[in-house]
Amino acid sequence: MPDAKPRTFGDLEPSRWPGERLGLPDSGPGSVGRVGRRIAAIAIDWASATLIALLFAPYSSVLHSWLTLAIFALMQVLFIPTIGGSVGHRLLGMRVVPISGGWVGFWRPVVRTLLLVIVIPAIVWDSDQRGFHDKVAGTVLIRA
C-alpha cells in the first residue's frame, strides 16, 4: 500500500528543512533557530550566570558551580515567559514558542529548564532540530 498514511515515525519521509513538519518556514522569521545560534545563546546565558555567581562565591568553589547552575535555570524560567526567551535567545534574535500557539505559560519553561540542566536532552535532537527538552515541553525555538 504505497498510498497509505505513515503509521510510525520511521515511515515518514525525511524533512526537507528543520521545522517543515511543524509548518514552519525554511528560513527567516518563524523558522527553527539553527544550531550555531542555539550554541551561542546558551554560551551567553551560561557566561551571564557565571558572572552573576561570582558576586556571591569565588570561581574555584563548589558553591560557585551550583550557584551558576541555579542562576542559569532561574534566568530560563523567568525570561522565557516574560520576554519570550533567555537573554541569549533574545540577543541572537530567537524566541521560545509553544507548538500549539499562544503564550508559553509557566509550566513549559519549568519542564524545559529542568531537562535542559540535565544536558543530555539538549543534545538529543529530532529532524526539526528540537531537543528532547523542547519536545517534552511542547515548545520550539524559532527566529524572531
Side-chain angles (χ1 to χ4, degrees):
M1 293 177 153
D3 293 333
K5 283 186 138 185
R7 286 182 271 159
T8 65
F9 184 75
D11 295 335
L12 294 173
E13 290 292 321
S15 296
R16 293 179 298 204
W17 66 83
E20 178 187 22
R21 290 191 184 114
L22 303 173
L24 301 176
D26 180 22
S27 61
S31 65
V32 170
R34 299 301 202 270
V35 178
R37 286 178 189 250
R38 296 170 78 104
I39 291 171
I42 203 165
I44 289 168
D45 293 337
W46 192 260
S48 300
T50 300
L51 290 174
I52 294 168
L54 278 173
L55 298 172
F56 303 100
Y59 182 75
S60 60
S61 70
V62 173
L63 176 60
H64 183 270
S65 298
W66 285 106
L67 270 175
T68 300
L69 185 63
I71 291 166
F72 173 84
L74 183 64
M75 288 184 344
Q76 299 291 314
V77 171
L78 289 177
F79 292 142
I80 290 173
T82 56
I83 65 171
S86 69
V87 172
H89 293 148
R90 300 307 291 162
L91 285 174
L92 294 170
M94 297 183 294
R95 61 191 172 101
V96 177
V97 297
I99 294 293
S100 59
W103 182 53
V104 74
F106 290 113
W107 72 268
R108 282 183 173 88
V110 170
V111 169
R112 185 180 188 278
T113 300
L114 286 174
L115 292 171
L116 184 61
V117 299
I118 295 172
V119 178
I120 300 300
I123 60 173
V124 177
W125 293 354
D126 65 8
S127 65
D128 291 313
Q129 293 186 359
R130 289 174 59 214
F132 184 70
H133 61 298
D134 277 320
K135 290 182 75 72
V136 171
T139 58
V140 62
L141 186 59
I142 63 168
R143 290 182 59 190

